[in-house]
Amino acid sequence: MQIIFFILAGVALVTGGLVVFQRHPLRSALWLIVNFFAVAGIYLLAHAEFIAAIQVIVYAGAIMVLFLFVIMLLNLREPEAEAKFMHLGQKVGGIILAVFTVLLLIYGVMQVVLPPGKAAPPGLGNTESIARLLFTDYLLPFEVTSVLLLVAIVGAVVLAKSKLK
Amino acid sequence: MTAWITGCLILLLKLGIVLVGLLLLAAYLVLAERKLLARLQIRLGPNRAGPLGLMQPLADAVKLLTKEDLAPAKADRLIFLLAPAVVAATALLIFAVVPFGQDWVIGGRRIPLVVADLNVGLLYALALSSIGVYGVALGGWSSNSKYALLGGIRGAAQMISYELSLGLALVPVVMLAGSFSLVEIVAAQSRYPFLLVQPLSFLIFFVSAVAETKRIPFDLPEAENELVAGYHTEYSGMRFGLFFLGEYVTMVVMGSLVAVFFLGGWRGPWLPPLVWFFLKVLGVVFFMIWMRGTLPRLRYDQLMHLGWKLLVPLALLNIVVTGAVLLLLRA
């Protein structure tokens, strides 16, 4: 089990890096899909079959198809030319922000207290238990999220239709 | 140890039989479709290769395998070469969760007639069918040809639209069966098939399934009189063959999903379960071929209209009504 985890984690890290370092937007998108699959595999190892399936359906199956769709429609075939001139302030600011983000992440990870014991018990990530939690303990955040998504949909429709008439 | 080895052997054997069976079925489905279409159009259809043209799939396979494997000079080579495999592989993988018969007991050992009974089987099938889009979209994009690109974009837009109604149509089925496992869903239909209580779901699922297989009246991604051959215009040899195979395997898989979700799977009186399953799948597939011989192609705006303004709202309404009725019945 542990070997599989490290393989999947390695794949996730390497492909995550490849997403950032590709010159071509479509290649980046494709590596991101591989990354999603590796993460879904890790969910499976943690007995969270439902989350794994949803990860593939929503992220790899829907969101990335939309990304690809946009890349294909804009036909971004040639990688963008590298900027010839870069402001010194941009470089310094970028480095400072990056270091700050890494420190923040390290601080955040250190705060997490891992519960004792090994993997989650089987059945924890199952559909029934997730549904029970969503509709009892986390009902309010769940409903607020759905309203948030509705607002986004309405906003998208308004933006798209504002040019008509 | 020996139990483990026999278990492994049985699994491998099962995998082999299912794989070969599925490929053979897809190959002969091509022949069956050509024959049936010919009859619908008052022609004879292929009848030269072997008796009644039964060797035609073999001849086609030899032809495709021995053809030159071409890639356009300016194509994105790696993606171009991989795209057909995505289509064929995802279609084949879906069948892994489809139960095609009652458990067999051989020598005291129980052999379930399903490759893998996942507890999220239904989601697994939906996930793989949504991954299949990439083959179409990337194949079209990487060919560096305007017809292929248009076909690929149409394919992506169409499949992402109809996936929604495909998934939503299954929610009432899950509510009735109380499980995502396909084996459980078949078990829940022991008294009556879900077709009787969910005719609307069945209709929405069937229409969306035909749209997912990109067949007439939903064959806009390949629309031969507008786009040459759409997303696989630039493909030759067995890579074209893989797209073709993927399409027919998808037909069989969608047929078996319809059978499992709405027609009671392998259940049926008198005949053995395996025969019932095949009859149901072939019935659905026959209906798809019949539609191809009868209906004209939809226009692009009609396609989007049907998907988003009719099927999706109907499916949502169906979920609400089913939920209310279930609540009333169980209260």
Side-chain angles (χ1 to χ4, degrees), chain B residues 214-294:
Chain B
K214 304 179 290 297
R215 294 172 54 80
I216 285 179
F218 302 101
D219 70 333
L220 281 102
E222 22 185 313
E224 63 274 5
N225 35 17
E226 307 163 32
L227 299 180
V228 190
Y231 59 94
H232 51 48
T233 303
E234 303 292 337
Y235 281 89
S236 70
M238 202 52 213
R239 284 186 205 281
F240 166 74
L242 274 180
F243 273 126
F244 210 66
L245 187 78
E247 187 182 324
Y248 282 85
V249 172
T250 314
M251 257 173 93
V252 176
V253 165
M254 284 299 171
S256 35
L257 288 184
V258 170
V260 164
F261 292 139
F262 296 101
L263 307 178
W266 43 262
R267 287 174 187 281
W270 307 308
L271 295 170
L274 212 56
V275 175
W276 262 119
F277 182 77
F278 271 108
L279 280 180
K280 285 171 182 174
V281 173
L282 290 181
V284 176
V285 168
F286 170 76
F287 207 80
M288 287 184 179
I289 296 172
W290 192 7
M291 273 171 80
R292 177 172 171 185
T294 313

Coordinates of all heavy atoms in Angstrom, one line a residue, chain B residues 214-294:
Chain B
K214 N -22.2 9.5 -30.5 CA -22.0 10.3 -31.6 C -22.6 9.6 -32.9 O -22.0 9.7 -34.0 CB -20.5 10.6 -31.9 CG -19.8 11.3 -30.7 CD -18.4 11.5 -31.0 CE -17.5 10.3 -31.0 NZ -17.5 9.5 -29.8
R215 N -23.8 9.1 -32.8 CA -24.4 8.5 -33.9 C -25.5 9.3 -34.4 O -26.1 10.2 -33.7 CB -24.9 7.1 -33.6 CG -23.8 6.1 -33.2 CD -24.4 4.8 -32.7 NE -25.4 4.3 -33.6 CZ -25.1 3.6 -34.7 NH1 -23.9 3.3 -34.9 NH2 -26.0 3.2 -35.5
I216 N -25.9 9.1 -35.7 CA -27.1 9.8 -36.2 C -28.3 9.6 -35.2 O -28.4 8.5 -34.8 CB -27.5 9.3 -37.6 CG1 -26.5 9.8 -38.6 CG2 -28.9 9.6 -38.0 CD1 -26.7 9.3 -40.0
P217 N -29.1 10.6 -34.9 CA -29.1 12.0 -35.4 C -28.1 12.9 -34.7 O -28.2 14.1 -34.8 CB -30.5 12.4 -35.1 CG -30.9 11.6 -33.9 CD -30.2 10.3 -33.9
F218 N -27.1 12.4 -33.9 CA -26.2 13.3 -33.2 C -24.8 13.2 -33.7 O -23.9 13.3 -33.0 CB -26.2 12.9 -31.7 CG -27.5 12.9 -31.0 CD1 -28.3 11.8 -30.8 CD2 -28.1 14.2 -30.6 CE1 -29.5 11.9 -30.2 CE2 -29.3 14.2 -30.0 CZ -30.0 13.1 -29.8
D219 N -24.6 12.9 -35.0 CA -23.3 12.6 -35.5 C -22.6 13.9 -36.0 O -21.8 13.8 -36.9 CB -23.2 11.5 -36.5 CG -23.9 12.0 -37.8 OD1 -24.7 12.9 -37.8 OD2 -23.5 11.5 -38.9
L220 N -22.9 15.1 -35.4 CA -22.2 16.3 -35.8 C -20.7 16.3 -35.8 O -20.1 16.9 -36.6 CB -22.8 17.5 -35.0 CG -24.1 17.9 -35.5 CD1 -25.2 17.4 -34.6 CD2 -24.2 19.4 -35.6
P221 N -20.1 15.6 -34.8 CA -18.6 15.6 -34.8 C -18.0 15.0 -36.1 O -16.9 15.3 -36.4 CB -18.2 14.9 -33.6 CG -19.4 15.0 -32.7 CD -20.6 15.0 -33.6
E222 N -18.7 14.1 -36.7 CA -18.1 13.6 -38.0 C -18.9 14.0 -39.2 O -18.2 14.0 -40.3 CB -18.0 12.1 -37.9 CG -18.8 11.3 -37.0 CD -18.5 9.8 -37.0 OE1 -18.3 9.3 -38.0 OE2 -18.3 9.3 -35.9
A223 N -20.1 14.4 -39.1 CA -20.9 15.0 -40.2 C -20.2 15.0 -41.6 O -19.7 15.9 -42.0 CB -21.3 16.4 -39.9
E224 N -20.3 13.8 -42.3 CA -19.4 13.6 -43.4 C -19.7 14.6 -44.6 O -18.8 14.9 -45.3 CB -19.5 12.2 -43.9 CG -20.8 11.7 -44.4 CD -21.7 11.2 -43.3 OE1 -21.2 11.3 -42.1 OE2 -22.8 10.6 -43.6
N225 N -20.9 15.1 -44.7 CA -21.1 16.1 -45.8 C -20.8 17.5 -45.4 O -21.0 18.4 -46.3 CB -22.5 15.9 -46.4 CG -23.5 15.6 -45.3 OD1 -23.3 15.8 -44.2 ND2 -24.7 15.1 -45.8
E226 N -20.3 17.8 -44.2 CA -19.8 19.1 -43.9 C -18.3 19.1 -43.6 O -17.6 19.9 -44.0 CB -20.5 19.7 -42.7 CG -22.0 19.7 -42.7 CD -22.6 19.8 -41.3 OE1 -22.1 20.5 -40.5 OE2 -23.7 19.3 -41.1
L227 N -17.9 18.0 -42.9 CA -16.6 18.0 -42.3 C -15.7 16.9 -42.8 O -14.8 16.5 -42.1 CB -16.7 17.9 -40.8 CG -17.4 19.0 -40.0 CD1 -17.4 18.7 -38.5 CD2 -16.7 20.4 -40.3
V228 N -16.0 16.3 -44.0 CA -15.3 15.2 -44.6 C -15.5 14.0 -43.7 O -16.3 13.2 -44.0 CB -13.8 15.5 -44.7 CG1 -13.1 14.3 -45.5 CG2 -13.5 16.8 -45.4
A229 N -14.7 13.9 -42.6 CA -15.0 12.8 -41.6 C -14.9 13.3 -40.2 O -14.7 12.6 -39.2 CB -14.1 11.6 -41.8
G230 N -14.9 14.7 -40.0 CA -14.8 15.2 -38.7 C -13.5 14.9 -38.0 O -12.4 15.0 -38.7
Y231 N -13.5 14.6 -36.7 CA -12.3 14.5 -35.9 C -11.3 13.5 -36.4 O -10.1 13.5 -36.1 CB -12.7 14.3 -34.5 CG -13.4 13.1 -34.2 CD1 -12.8 11.9 -33.8 CD2 -14.8 13.1 -34.3 CE1 -13.5 10.8 -33.5 CE2 -15.5 11.9 -34.0 CZ -14.9 10.8 -33.7 OH -15.6 9.7 -33.4
H232 N -11.8 12.4 -37.1 CA -10.8 11.4 -37.6 C -10.5 11.5 -39.1 O -10.1 10.6 -39.7 CB -11.2 10.0 -37.2 CG -12.6 9.6 -37.5 ND1 -13.1 9.8 -38.8 CD2 -13.5 9.0 -36.8 CE1 -14.3 9.3 -38.8 NE2 -14.6 8.9 -37.6
T233 N -10.7 12.7 -39.6 CA -10.4 12.9 -41.1 C -8.9 12.5 -41.4 O -8.7 11.9 -42.5 CB -10.6 14.4 -41.4 OG1 -11.9 14.8 -41.1 CG2 -10.3 14.7 -42.9
E234 N -8.0 12.9 -40.6 CA -6.6 12.7 -41.0 C -6.0 11.3 -40.6 O -4.8 11.0 -40.8 CB -5.7 13.8 -40.3 CG -6.1 15.2 -40.6 CD -5.8 15.6 -42.1 OE1 -5.0 14.9 -42.7 OE2 -6.5 16.5 -42.6
Y235 N -6.8 10.5 -40.0 CA -6.3 9.2 -39.5 C -6.4 8.1 -40.6 O -7.3 8.1 -41.4 CB -7.1 8.7 -38.3 CG -6.7 9.5 -37.0 CD1 -7.3 10.6 -36.7 CD2 -5.7 8.9 -36.2 CE1 -6.9 11.3 -35.5 CE2 -5.3 9.6 -35.1 CZ -5.9 10.8 -34.7 OH -5.5 11.4 -33.6
S236 N -5.5 7.2 -40.5 CA -5.5 6.1 -41.5 C -5.2 4.8 -40.8 O -4.8 4.8 -39.6 CB -4.4 6.3 -42.6 OG -3.2 6.1 -42.0
G237 N -5.4 3.7 -41.4 CA -5.0 2.4 -40.9 C -5.7 2.0 -39.6 O -6.8 2.4 -39.4
M238 N -4.9 1.4 -38.7 CA -5.5 0.9 -37.5 C -5.9 2.0 -36.5 O -6.7 1.8 -35.6 CB -4.6 -0.2 -36.9 CG -5.4 -1.1 -35.9 SD -6.8 -1.8 -36.7 CE -7.9 -2.0 -35.3
R239 N -5.2 3.2 -36.6 CA -5.6 4.2 -35.7 C -7.0 4.7 -36.0 O -7.8 5.0 -35.1 CB -4.6 5.4 -35.9 CG -3.3 5.0 -35.1 CD -2.3 6.2 -35.1 NE -1.0 5.6 -35.0 CZ -0.5 5.2 -33.8 NH1 -1.2 5.2 -32.7 NH2 0.7 4.6 -33.8
F240 N -7.3 4.8 -37.3 CA -8.7 5.1 -37.7 C -9.6 3.9 -37.2 O -10.7 4.1 -36.6 CB -8.9 5.2 -39.2 CG -10.3 5.2 -39.7 CD1 -11.1 6.3 -39.5 CD2 -10.8 4.0 -40.3 CE1 -12.4 6.2 -39.9 CE2 -12.1 4.0 -40.7 CZ -12.9 5.1 -40.5
G241 N -9.0 2.7 -37.3 CA -9.8 1.5 -36.9 C -10.1 1.6 -35.4 O -11.2 1.2 -35.0
L242 N -9.2 2.1 -34.6 CA -9.4 2.2 -33.1 C -10.6 3.2 -32.8 O -11.4 2.9 -32.0 CB -8.2 2.7 -32.4 CG -7.1 1.7 -32.1 CD1 -6.0 2.3 -31.4 CD2 -7.8 0.6 -31.1
F243 N -10.6 4.3 -33.6 CA -11.8 5.2 -33.4 C -13.1 4.5 -33.7 O -14.0 4.6 -33.0 CB -11.6 6.4 -34.3 CG -10.9 7.6 -33.8 CD1 -9.8 8.1 -34.5 CD2 -11.2 8.1 -32.6 CE1 -9.1 9.2 -34.0 CE2 -10.5 9.2 -32.1 CZ -9.4 9.7 -32.8
F244 N -13.0 3.8 -34.8 CA -14.2 3.0 -35.3 C -14.6 2.0 -34.3 O -15.8 1.9 -33.9 CB -13.8 2.4 -36.6 CG -15.0 2.2 -37.5 CD1 -15.6 3.3 -38.1 CD2 -15.4 0.9 -37.9 CE1 -16.6 3.2 -38.9 CE2 -16.5 0.8 -38.8 CZ -17.1 1.9 -39.3
L245 N -13.6 1.2 -33.8 CA -13.8 0.2 -32.8 C -14.4 0.8 -31.5 O -15.4 0.3 -31.0 CB -12.5 -0.5 -32.5 CG -12.6 -1.7 -31.6 CD1 -13.1 -2.9 -32.4 CD2 -11.2 -2.0 -31.0
G246 N -13.8 1.9 -31.1 CA -14.3 2.6 -29.9 C -15.7 3.0 -30.0 O -16.5 2.8 -29.1
E247 N -16.1 3.4 -31.2 CA -17.5 3.8 -31.4 C -18.5 2.6 -31.2 O -19.5 2.7 -30.6 CB -17.7 4.4 -32.8 CG -19.1 5.0 -33.0 CD -19.3 5.6 -34.4 OE1 -18.3 6.1 -34.9 OE2 -20.4 5.4 -34.9
Y248 N -18.1 1.5 -31.8 CA -19.0 0.3 -31.7 C -18.9 -0.3 -30.4 O -20.0 -0.8 -29.9 CB -18.7 -0.7 -32.9 CG -19.2 -0.2 -34.1 CD1 -18.6 0.7 -34.9 CD2 -20.5 -0.6 -34.5 CE1 -19.1 1.2 -36.1 CE2 -21.1 -0.1 -35.7 CZ -20.4 0.8 -36.4 OH -21.0 1.4 -37.6
V249 N -17.8 -0.3 -29.7 CA -17.7 -0.8 -28.3 C -18.6 0.1 -27.4 O -19.3 -0.4 -26.6 CB -16.3 -0.9 -27.8 CG1 -16.2 -1.2 -26.3 CG2 -15.5 -1.9 -28.6
T250 N -18.5 1.4 -27.7 CA -19.4 2.3 -26.9 C -20.8 2.0 -27.1 O -21.6 2.0 -26.1 CB -19.1 3.8 -27.3 OG1 -17.7 4.0 -27.3 CG2 -19.8 4.7 -26.3
M251 N -21.2 1.6 -28.3 CA -22.6 1.2 -28.6 C -23.0 0.0 -27.7 O -24.0 0.0 -27.1 CB -22.7 0.8 -30.1 CG -23.4 1.8 -30.9 SD -23.3 1.3 -32.6 CE -24.9 0.5 -32.8
V252 N -22.1 -1.0 -27.7 CA -22.4 -2.2 -26.9 C -22.5 -1.9 -25.5 O -23.4 -2.3 -24.7 CB -21.3 -3.3 -27.2 CG1 -21.6 -4.5 -26.3 CG2 -21.3 -3.7 -28.6
V253 N -21.5 -1.0 -25.0 CA -21.5 -0.7 -23.6 C -22.7 0.1 -23.2 O -23.3 -0.1 -22.2 CB -20.2 0.1 -23.3 CG1 -20.3 0.8 -21.9 CG2 -19.0 -0.8 -23.3
M254 N -23.1 1.1 -24.0 CA -24.3 1.9 -23.7 C -25.5 1.0 -23.7 O -26.4 1.2 -22.9 CB -24.4 3.0 -24.7 CG -23.5 4.2 -24.5 SD -23.7 4.9 -22.9 CE -22.3 6.0 -22.8
G255 N -25.6 0.1 -24.7 CA -26.7 -0.9 -24.7 C -26.7 -1.7 -23.4 O -27.8 -1.9 -22.8
S256 N -25.6 -2.1 -22.9 CA -25.6 -2.9 -21.7 C -25.9 -2.1 -20.5 O -26.6 -2.5 -19.6 CB -24.3 -3.7 -21.5 OG -23.2 -3.0 -21.9
L257 N -25.5 -0.8 -20.5 CA -25.9 0.1 -19.4 C -27.4 0.3 -19.4 O -28.0 0.3 -18.3 CB -25.1 1.4 -19.5 CG -23.7 1.4 -19.2 CD1 -23.1 2.8 -19.2 CD2 -23.4 0.8 -17.8
V258 N -28.0 0.5 -20.6 CA -29.5 0.7 -20.6 C -30.1 -0.6 -20.1 O -31.1 -0.5 -19.3 CB -29.9 0.9 -22.1 CG1 -31.4 0.8 -22.2 CG2 -29.5 2.3 -22.5
A259 N -29.6 -1.8 -20.5 CA -30.1 -3.0 -20.0 C -30.0 -3.1 -18.5 O -31.0 -3.6 -17.8 CB -29.4 -4.2 -20.7
V260 N -28.9 -2.7 -18.0 CA -28.7 -2.9 -16.5 C -29.5 -1.9 -15.7 O -30.1 -2.3 -14.7 CB -27.2 -2.7 -16.2 CG1 -27.0 -2.5 -14.7 CG2 -26.3 -3.9 -16.6
F261 N -29.6 -0.7 -16.2 CA -30.3 0.3 -15.4 C -31.8 0.3 -15.5 O -32.5 0.6 -14.6 CB -29.8 1.7 -15.8 CG -28.4 2.0 -15.4 CD1 -27.5 2.7 -16.2 CD2 -27.9 1.6 -14.2 CE1 -26.2 2.9 -15.9 CE2 -26.6 1.8 -13.8 CZ -25.8 2.5 -14.7
F262 N -32.3 -0.1 -16.7 CA -33.7 0.0 -16.9 C -34.4 -1.3 -17.3 O -35.6 -1.4 -17.1 CB -34.0 1.1 -18.0 CG -33.6 2.4 -17.6 CD1 -32.4 3.0 -18.1 CD2 -34.3 3.2 -16.7 CE1 -32.0 4.2 -17.7 CE2 -33.9 4.4 -16.3 CZ -32.7 5.0 -16.8
L263 N -33.7 -2.2 -17.9 CA -34.4 -3.4 -18.4 C -34.2 -4.6 -17.5 O -34.5 -5.8 -17.9 CB -33.9 -3.7 -19.8 CG -34.0 -2.6 -20.8 CD1 -33.5 -3.0 -22.1 CD2 -35.5 -2.1 -20.9
G264 N -33.6 -4.4 -16.3 CA -33.5 -5.5 -15.4 C -32.2 -6.4 -15.6 O -32.1 -7.5 -15.0
G265 N -31.3 -5.9 -16.4 CA -30.0 -6.6 -16.5 C -30.2 -8.0 -17.1 O -30.9 -8.2 -18.1
W266 N -29.6 -9.0 -16.4 CA -29.7 -10.4 -17.0 C -30.9 -11.1 -16.5 O -31.1 -12.2 -16.8 CB -28.5 -11.2 -16.5 CG -28.1 -10.9 -15.1 CD1 -27.1 -10.1 -14.7 CD2 -28.6 -11.6 -13.9 NE1 -27.0 -10.1 -13.3 CE2 -27.9 -11.0 -12.8 CE3 -29.6 -12.5 -13.7 CZ2 -28.2 -11.4 -11.5 CZ3 -29.9 -12.9 -12.4 CH2 -29.2 -12.3 -11.3
R267 N -31.8 -10.4 -15.8 CA -33.0 -11.1 -15.3 C -34.1 -11.3 -16.4 O -34.3 -10.4 -17.2 CB -33.6 -10.3 -14.1 CG -32.8 -10.3 -12.9 CD -33.4 -9.4 -11.8 NE -32.4 -9.4 -10.7 CZ -32.4 -10.4 -9.8 NH1 -33.2 -11.4 -9.9 NH2 -31.5 -10.4 -8.9
G268 N -34.8 -12.4 -16.3 CA -35.8 -12.7 -17.2 C -36.3 -14.1 -17.1 O -35.5 -14.9 -16.5
P269 N -37.5 -14.4 -17.5 CA -38.0 -15.8 -17.3 C -37.5 -16.7 -18.4 O -37.1 -16.3 -19.4 CB -39.5 -15.6 -17.4 CG -39.7 -14.4 -18.3 CD -38.5 -13.5 -18.1
W270 N -37.6 -18.0 -18.1 CA -37.3 -19.2 -19.0 C -35.9 -19.3 -19.5 O -35.2 -20.2 -19.3 CB -38.3 -19.1 -20.2 CG -39.7 -19.0 -19.8 CD1 -40.3 -19.9 -18.9 CD2 -40.7 -18.0 -20.1 NE1 -41.6 -19.5 -18.7 CE2 -41.9 -18.4 -19.4 CE3 -40.6 -16.9 -20.9 CZ2 -43.0 -17.6 -19.5 CZ3 -41.8 -16.2 -21.0 CH2 -43.0 -16.5 -20.3
L271 N -35.4 -18.2 -20.2 CA -34.1 -18.3 -20.9 C -33.0 -18.1 -19.8 O -33.2 -17.5 -18.8 CB -34.0 -17.3 -21.9 CG -34.9 -17.4 -23.1 CD1 -34.8 -16.2 -24.0 CD2 -34.6 -18.7 -23.9
P272 N -31.8 -18.7 -20.1 CA -30.7 -18.5 -19.2 C -30.3 -17.0 -19.1 O -30.5 -16.3 -20.1 CB -29.5 -19.3 -19.7 CG -30.0 -19.8 -21.0 CD -31.5 -19.6 -21.2
P273 N -29.8 -16.5 -17.9 CA -29.5 -15.1 -17.7 C -28.6 -14.5 -18.8 O -28.8 -13.4 -19.3 CB -28.7 -15.1 -16.4 CG -29.2 -16.3 -15.7 CD -29.5 -17.3 -16.7
L274 N -27.5 -15.2 -19.2 CA -26.6 -14.7 -20.2 C -27.3 -14.4 -21.5 O -27.1 -13.4 -22.1 CB -25.5 -15.8 -20.4 CG -24.1 -15.2 -20.8 CD1 -23.6 -14.3 -19.7 CD2 -23.1 -16.4 -21.0
V275 N -28.2 -15.3 -21.9 CA -29.0 -15.1 -23.1 C -29.9 -13.9 -23.0 O -29.9 -13.0 -23.9 CB -29.8 -16.4 -23.4 CG1 -30.7 -16.1 -24.7 CG2 -28.9 -17.5 -23.7
W276 N -30.5 -13.7 -21.9 CA -31.4 -12.6 -21.6 C -30.6 -11.3 -21.8 O -31.0 -10.3 -22.4 CB -32.0 -12.6 -20.3 CG -33.4 -13.1 -20.3 CD1 -33.9 -14.2 -19.7 CD2 -34.5 -12.6 -21.0 NE1 -35.2 -14.4 -19.9 CE2 -35.6 -13.4 -20.7 CE3 -34.7 -11.5 -21.8 CZ2 -36.9 -13.2 -21.3 CZ3 -36.0 -11.2 -22.3 CH2 -37.0 -12.1 -22.1
F277 N -29.4 -11.3 -21.2 CA -28.6 -10.1 -21.2 C -28.2 -9.7 -22.6 O -28.4 -8.6 -23.1 CB -27.3 -10.3 -20.4 CG -26.4 -9.1 -20.3 CD1 -26.7 -8.0 -19.5 CD2 -25.3 -9.0 -21.1 CE1 -25.9 -6.9 -19.5 CE2 -24.5 -7.9 -21.1 CZ -24.8 -6.8 -20.3
F278 N -27.8 -10.7 -23.4 CA -27.4 -10.5 -24.8 C -28.6 -10.0 -25.6 O -28.5 -9.0 -26.4 CB -26.8 -11.7 -25.5 CG -25.4 -11.8 -25.3 CD1 -24.8 -12.7 -24.4 CD2 -24.5 -10.9 -26.0 CE1 -23.4 -12.8 -24.2 CE2 -23.2 -11.0 -25.8 CZ -22.6 -11.9 -24.9
L279 N -29.8 -10.6 -25.4 CA -31.0 -10.2 -26.1 C -31.3 -8.7 -25.8 O -31.6 -8.0 -26.7 CB -32.2 -11.1 -25.7 CG -32.3 -12.4 -26.3 CD1 -33.5 -13.2 -25.9 CD2 -32.3 -12.3 -27.9
K280 N -31.2 -8.3 -24.5 CA -31.6 -7.0 -24.2 C -30.6 -6.0 -24.8 O -31.0 -4.9 -25.4 CB -31.6 -6.8 -22.7 CG -32.8 -7.4 -22.1 CD -32.7 -7.4 -20.5 CE -33.9 -8.1 -20.0 NZ -33.8 -8.3 -18.5
V281 N -29.3 -6.3 -24.7 CA -28.2 -5.4 -25.3 C -28.5 -5.3 -26.8 O -28.5 -4.2 -27.4 CB -26.8 -6.0 -25.0 CG1 -25.8 -5.1 -25.8 CG2 -26.6 -5.9 -23.5
L282 N -28.7 -6.5 -27.5 CA -28.8 -6.4 -28.9 C -30.1 -5.7 -29.3 O -30.1 -5.0 -30.3 CB -28.8 -7.8 -29.5 CG -27.5 -8.6 -29.4 CD1 -27.6 -9.9 -30.0 CD2 -26.4 -7.7 -30.1
G283 N -31.1 -5.8 -28.5 CA -32.4 -5.0 -28.7 C -32.1 -3.5 -28.7 O -32.5 -2.8 -29.6
V284 N -31.4 -3.1 -27.7 CA -31.1 -1.6 -27.6 C -30.3 -1.2 -28.8 O -30.5 -0.2 -29.4 CB -30.4 -1.3 -26.3 CG1 -30.0 0.2 -26.2 CG2 -31.3 -1.6 -25.1
V285 N -29.2 -2.0 -29.1 CA -28.3 -1.7 -30.2 C -29.1 -1.7 -31.6 O -28.9 -0.8 -32.4 CB -27.2 -2.7 -30.3 CG1 -26.4 -2.5 -31.5 CG2 -26.3 -2.5 -29.1
F286 N -30.0 -2.6 -31.7 CA -30.8 -2.7 -32.9 C -31.6 -1.4 -33.1 O -31.7 -0.8 -34.2 CB -31.8 -3.9 -32.9 CG -32.8 -3.8 -34.0 CD1 -32.4 -4.2 -35.3 CD2 -34.1 -3.5 -33.7 CE1 -33.4 -4.1 -36.3 CE2 -35.1 -3.4 -34.7 CZ -34.7 -3.7 -36.0
F287 N -32.1 -0.9 -31.9 CA -32.9 0.3 -32.0 C -32.0 1.5 -32.4 O -32.5 2.4 -33.2 CB -33.5 0.6 -30.6 CG -34.7 1.4 -30.6 CD1 -35.9 0.8 -30.9 CD2 -34.7 2.8 -30.4 CE1 -37.1 1.6 -31.0 CE2 -35.9 3.5 -30.4 CZ -37.1 2.9 -30.7
M288 N -30.8 1.5 -32.0 CA -29.9 2.6 -32.4 C -29.6 2.5 -33.9 O -29.6 3.6 -34.5 CB -28.5 2.4 -31.6 CG -28.5 2.8 -30.2 SD -26.9 2.6 -29.5 CE -27.1 3.1 -27.8
I289 N -29.4 1.3 -34.4 CA -29.2 1.2 -35.9 C -30.4 1.6 -36.6 O -30.3 2.3 -37.6 CB -28.8 -0.3 -36.2 CG1 -27.5 -0.6 -35.5 CG2 -28.7 -0.4 -37.7 CD1 -27.1 -2.1 -35.7
W290 N -31.6 1.2 -36.1 CA -32.9 1.6 -36.7 C -33.0 3.1 -36.8 O -33.4 3.7 -37.8 CB -34.0 1.0 -35.9 CG -35.3 1.0 -36.5 CD1 -35.6 1.4 -37.8 CD2 -36.5 0.6 -35.9 NE1 -37.0 1.3 -38.0 CE2 -37.6 0.8 -36.8 CE3 -36.9 0.1 -34.6 CZ2 -38.9 0.5 -36.5 CZ3 -38.2 -0.1 -34.3 CH2 -39.2 0.0 -35.3
M291 N -32.6 3.8 -35.7 CA -32.7 5.3 -35.7 C -31.8 5.8 -36.7 O -32.1 6.8 -37.4 CB -32.2 5.8 -34.3 CG -33.3 5.9 -33.3 SD -32.6 6.2 -31.7 CE -32.3 8.0 -31.8
R292 N -30.6 5.2 -36.9 CA -29.7 5.8 -37.9 C -30.2 5.6 -39.3 O -30.0 6.5 -40.2 CB -28.3 5.0 -37.8 CG -27.4 5.5 -38.9 CD -26.0 4.9 -38.7 NE -25.2 5.2 -39.9 CZ -24.0 4.8 -40.1 NH1 -23.4 4.0 -39.3 NH2 -23.4 5.1 -41.2
G293 N -31.0 4.6 -39.5 CA -31.6 4.4 -40.9 C -32.8 5.3 -41.1 O -33.3 5.4 -42.2
T294 N -33.3 5.9 -40.0 CA -34.6 6.6 -40.1 C -34.5 8.1 -40.0 O -35.1 8.8 -40.7 CB -35.6 6.1 -39.0 OG1 -35.5 4.7 -39.0 CG2 -37.0 6.6 -39.2

